[in-house]
Amino acid sequence: MSDPVEPLIFDLVAWIAAAERPYLEVMDAWRTSCPRLPVWEEANARGLVTRVRGADGEALVRVTAQGRAFLDGARP
């Protein structure tokens, strides 16, 4: 059986790769309290996304080089 979190991690990283997102927007959309679907936590642990400060001081989330490699490797 394949890991059900894997396609969700791909979706999260692809969504952020399209345009860096405000951290609060990412948390509203992707944070979960379900221990079986740790999408945000797993993407962070793997180093696929990172949180940075924008020029205005706002917390942003962007895809890392590892995240881009993950997307490239996961596409058919």
Side-chain angles (χ1 to χ4, degrees), residues 15-37:
W15 180 65
I16 296 169
E20 63 184 27
R21 310 284 178 164
Y23 175 76
L24 293 176
E25 179 183 346
V26 175
M27 289 298 92
D28 282 346
W30 288 95
R31 182 174 40 204
T32 178
S33 59
C34 178
R36 293 181 185 232
L37 293 174

Side-chain angles (χ1 to χ4, degrees), residues 19 32 52 60 72 76:
T32 178
V52 298
L60 301 171
D72 291 342

Side-chain angles (χ1 to χ4, degrees), residues 7-62:
L8 294 172
I9 293 170
F10 179 87
D11 288 346
L12 168 64
V13 176
W15 180 65
I16 296 169
E20 63 184 27
R21 310 284 178 164
Y23 175 76
L24 293 176
E25 179 183 346
V26 175
M27 289 298 92
D28 282 346
W30 288 95
R31 182 174 40 204
T32 178
S33 59
C34 178
R36 293 181 185 232
L37 293 174
V39 178
W40 166 252
E41 293 83 356
E42 187 63 29
N44 269 294
R46 293 184 191 185
L48 304 177
V49 295
T50 189
R51 195 169 103 175
V52 298
R53 289 272 171 212
D56 61 358
E58 179 181 30
L60 301 171
V61 178
R62 67 173 55 143

